[in-house]
Amino acid sequence: MCSTEQDLTEAREVVKRLRPIDDTLFRKMFNENIELTQFVLRIFLDKPDLIVENVNTQFDLKKLMGARSLVLDAYATDSEGKKYNIEAEKTEDRADPHRARYHLSALDTEHSKACKEPKELPTTYIIFITESDIYEANKPIYHVDRMVREIGEEFKDGEHIIYINASYKDDTTILGNLLHDFMCSKPEDMVVPEIAKCANEWKNTKKGVDSMCAEVEKYTNEKATAKT
């Protein structure tokens, strides 16, 4: 917890400004929240029958093959065994194509432990929710899939990369409203009940605010330590 009253006051002010796209709040909202994760994935993927079986935030892929450890914002599995890594990325460099490549390779390495053959690797989705429109085409979603260039057919390797443009504006669709709420700091201004209710629990209840303040302090201390 915060060591002084001033620290607590400052942490509460930070919590007030946090939005679902900010990773501190994002991880709190989605950790072990199967219902919310399922709701969001159904909208992002346009799959109303998708069933999420589990989800964890800050899922740590331990150091693999000499590479650094990778901590995932949210990691979910559906009823068909498909894997979903959802990342809240506020800065454009955090959504660099090479970062998506790194996430996919790390997940493949992790999944290979349970596979006898490469073809047993699960279908994997890397989903980056970005604060800006990184492709500047005014689209809400950008799908990245490999293609066989000469014949124009999909290269069915089971890997998918999706960029969600949280800056997209459209209040006539559920996706547009969901993106609005990801960028909103006040639960009372959110329009999707599922997002507003969860955000309110972390931002406007004593238990939620206390937990969020502890996370803010932890994050601040980690940044300070990294600079020393």
Side-chain angles (χ1 to χ4, degrees):
M1 293 298 293
C2 297
S3 55
T4 68
E5 189 62 33
Q6 181 179 353
D7 290 339
L8 180 59
T9 300
E10 291 175 353
R12 284 174 174 165
E13 288 301 314
V14 171
V15 172
K16 287 182 181 179
R17 296 193 297 270
L18 289 175
R19 307 157 300 166
I21 199 173
D22 296 312
D23 56 4
T24 304
L25 180 57
F26 178 91
R27 290 171 175 175
K28 284 291 188 180
M29 289 177 62
F30 285 89
N31 189 41
E32 298 185 357
N33 193 334
I34 291 176
E35 184 176 358
L36 184 64
T37 304
Q38 178 173 280
F39 173 78
V40 169
L41 284 176
R42 284 179 172 182
I43 295 172
F44 284 169
L45 302 175
D46 193 22
K47 293 183 178 180
D49 58 346
L50 187 150
I51 303 297
V52 170
E53 293 193 337
N54 59 70
V55 59
N56 291 285
T57 61
Q58 293 186 287
F59 183 85
D60 190 2
L61 293 176
K62 301 300 183 182
K63 190 173 182 180
L64 302 170
M65 298 171 62
R68 62 184 175 85
S69 178
L70 178 64
V71 179
L72 309 182
D73 281 352
Y75 181 58
T77 303
D78 72 10
S79 58
E80 297 179 351
K82 296 176 181 177
K83 309 293 183 178
Y84 304 87
N85 171 207
I86 312 171
E87 296 288 315
E89 305 292 9
K90 293 201 303 178
T91 59
E92 187 169 328
D93 65 309
R94 295 282 293 176
D96 180 84
H98 294 86
R99 183 173 176 81
R101 175 181 172 181
Y102 184 78
H103 276 243
L104 284 170
S105 63
L107 287 172
D108 276 350
T109 301
E110 178 70 13
H111 298 148
S112 67
K113 298 174 183 177
C115 297
K116 295 180 180 179
E117 299 290 341
K119 65 182 179 181
E120 296 177 359
L121 287 169
T123 296
T124 305
Y125 290 81
I126 304 296
I127 302 174
F128 287 149
I129 308 172
T130 62
E131 187 167 21
S132 62
D133 183 359
I134 62 172
Y135 288 106
E136 300 181 345
N138 195 33
K139 302 291 184 182
I141 300 180
Y142 300 98
H143 297 83
V144 182
D145 292 303
R146 292 187 178 93
M147 300 289 294
V148 182
R149 185 188 307 170
E150 285 74 14
I151 59 176
E153 290 187 7
E154 181 182 353
F155 183 64
K156 299 179 180 180
D157 60 348
E159 293 187 333
H160 306 274
I161 301 169
I162 298 175
Y163 291 92
I164 307 292
N165 171 23
S167 68
Y168 184 78
K169 307 294 183 184
D170 183 358
D171 61 5
T172 66
T173 66
I174 183 62
L175 175 59
N177 288 331
L178 178 61
L179 297 178
H180 166 274
D181 289 359
F182 266 97
M183 299 282 275
C184 190
S185 62
K186 296 181 179 179
E188 59 268 28
D189 292 337
M190 296 177 181
V191 293
V192 179
E194 290 83 354
I195 297 293
K197 178 181 177 182
C198 187
N200 185 70
E201 290 176 356
W202 291 107
K203 291 171 69 72
N204 290 331
T205 68
K206 185 180 185 307
K207 180 179 179 180
V209 171
D210 285 348
S211 180
M212 286 297 299
C213 285
E215 285 297 315
V216 169
E217 183 183 34
K218 177 183 176 182
Y219 179 72
T220 301
N221 291 339
E222 287 176 349
K223 286 189 67 176
T225 300
K227 291 180 179 179
T228 59

